[in-house]
Amino acid sequence: MAEKIFVAVKPKYPTRKAIDKVLVKNEEGFIDIAEVNVPRQVIALLDTAHVAIVKDDKYYPVDETNVYEQYDHISAGEELTVEEDHNFGVKKLDYFFSIPSNEDAEGLDKIQDKIEIYNGILSGKLVKVEDYTKLGIDTIDKNGYWFAIKFDKSGAAEEGYTEAKLFGEEKELEDGVNYIYMGISQADVSSKVISISAEYTPTNSEGSDSEDNNTETNPDDSGNGNTDSSDNNGI
């Protein structure tokens, strides 16, 4: 199976529908990471964005004159022949969050199923907890709907992020699986917006001087996806 190929993208314009996500322009140098399958996708991105191939967590900017050659190199597992850019950009905070699997923590299948985040929209199925004492998950301390998200805290720290918290809360998110209370009813879930903020300190002198980066997830914000929170599957 061929190794996945990723590119870092800095849009030149306010929004950009690229690969599998909508990218938003920012002035602070934050970048999105996207998977590509063919060089034509990179060419399409170059129309409206600065693009760098990601290899060993380093960034190698490409343009229309060299993208095919560099794509062939990385596809073959060879070294890229363009110069690395140490200051191409900073990964956005949401890069360090993912949906955990049952291998990450026990009991996840009892609170959620087939959860995905696409363009900031949470979709899938949340299962209402009817008796939290039977779950065996210490962090879940009341009945209702819960959502689990995995945080790569060490990776975020290496990028310069610290003190990642849910909006309005004092406690920092933990490395690994975090459980977020969504509410007692389906209406609560549908209106819930998960907002996470963190302090950002540049890891080198030429990096971004922005102090905050935020990521938001809304379970029911547009037609891109809805959270199915069914009372018929309670515990």
Side-chain angles (χ1 to χ4, degrees), residues 17-33:
K17 178 66 172 67
I19 316 302
D20 62 347
K21 62 198 301 187
V22 173
L23 308 180
V24 181
K25 181 186 178 183
N26 64 79
E27 302 298 334
E28 294 84 11
F30 293 103
I31 57 176
D32 286 278
I33 306 295

Side-chain angles (χ1 to χ4, degrees), residues 75-90:
S75 298
E78 301 170 352
E79 294 297 319
L80 300 176
T81 57
V82 292
E83 186 175 350
E84 174 195 354
D85 184 349
H86 298 277
N87 302 304
F88 185 77
V90 178

Side-chain angles (χ1 to χ4, degrees), residues 61-132:
V62 293
D63 56 33
E64 291 85 352
T65 67
N66 59 27
V67 61
Y68 284 98
E69 177 186 0
Q70 301 308 314
Y71 195 95
D72 287 343
H73 284 317
I74 195 168
S75 298
E78 301 170 352
E79 294 297 319
L80 300 176
T81 57
V82 292
E83 186 175 350
E84 174 195 354
D85 184 349
H86 298 277
N87 302 304
F88 185 77
V90 178
K91 296 186 186 76
K92 291 182 179 179
L93 181 61
D94 59 5
Y95 176 83
F96 301 98
F97 289 90
S98 60
I99 300 301
S101 66
N102 288 330
E103 296 177 355
D104 295 312
E106 295 183 2
L108 286 179
D109 57 335
K110 296 179 181 179
I111 66 169
Q112 64 189 38
D113 182 42
K114 297 180 180 178
I115 295 294
E116 295 181 348
I117 299 177
Y118 178 79
N119 287 333
I121 307 300
L122 172 65
S123 66
K125 181 178 182 180
L126 299 182
V127 181
K128 188 173 185 180
V129 176
E130 300 287 0
D131 186 352
Y132 72 89

Side-chain angles (χ1 to χ4, degrees), residues 2-225:
E3 185 175 347
K4 293 182 178 180
I5 297 174
F6 294 91
V7 293
V9 186
K10 286 195 297 186
K12 302 174 186 177
Y13 305 109
T15 59
R16 163 74 196 185
K17 178 66 172 67
I19 316 302
D20 62 347
K21 62 198 301 187
V22 173
L23 308 180
V24 181
K25 181 186 178 183
N26 64 79
E27 302 298 334
E28 294 84 11
F30 293 103
I31 57 176
D32 286 278
I33 306 295
E35 182 182 354
V36 293
N37 300 301
V38 292
R40 289 193 304 276
Q41 291 176 294
V42 184
I43 290 291
L45 286 169
L46 285 167
D47 286 340
T48 56
H50 303 287
V51 182
I53 293 176
V54 181
K55 180 177 174 60
D56 299 328
D57 212 27
K58 298 177 181 179
Y59 307 114
Y60 298 85
V62 293
D63 56 33
E64 291 85 352
T65 67
N66 59 27
V67 61
Y68 284 98
E69 177 186 0
Q70 301 308 314
Y71 195 95
D72 287 343
H73 284 317
I74 195 168
S75 298
E78 301 170 352
E79 294 297 319
L80 300 176
T81 57
V82 292
E83 186 175 350
E84 174 195 354
D85 184 349
H86 298 277
N87 302 304
F88 185 77
V90 178
K91 296 186 186 76
K92 291 182 179 179
L93 181 61
D94 59 5
Y95 176 83
F96 301 98
F97 289 90
S98 60
I99 300 301
S101 66
N102 288 330
E103 296 177 355
D104 295 312
E106 295 183 2
L108 286 179
D109 57 335
K110 296 179 181 179
I111 66 169
Q112 64 189 38
D113 182 42
K114 297 180 180 178
I115 295 294
E116 295 181 348
I117 299 177
Y118 178 79
N119 287 333
I121 307 300
L122 172 65
S123 66
K125 181 178 182 180
L126 299 182
V127 181
K128 188 173 185 180
V129 176
E130 300 287 0
D131 186 352
Y132 72 89
T133 62
K134 295 181 180 180
L135 277 180
I137 302 175
D138 294 337
T139 311
I140 294 181
D141 56 2
K142 53 188 169 184
N143 294 333
Y145 295 102
W146 290 80
F147 166 61
I149 193 167
K150 186 177 180 180
F151 179 39
D152 179 8
K153 190 172 185 177
S154 58
E158 289 180 4
E159 196 75 5
Y161 294 108
T162 56
E163 300 182 36
K165 304 174 183 177
L166 291 175
F167 181 77
E169 296 193 8
E170 293 297 322
K171 184 180 178 181
E172 289 187 32
L173 294 172
E174 299 178 356
D175 187 49
V177 178
N178 292 264
Y179 297 91
I180 300 173
Y181 185 62
M182 303 291 285
I184 193 65
S185 69
Q186 294 185 35
D188 292 334
V189 174
S190 296
S191 61
K192 182 79 171 183
V193 176
I194 302 169
S195 181
I196 300 171
S197 65
E199 293 295 319
Y200 172 68
T201 303
T203 55
N204 59 68
S205 59
E206 298 181 36
S208 165
D209 58 3
S210 173
E211 294 182 355
D212 295 286
N213 193 226
N214 301 279
T215 182
E216 290 189 354
T217 298
N218 192 329
D220 190 14
D221 191 48
S222 76
N224 288 345

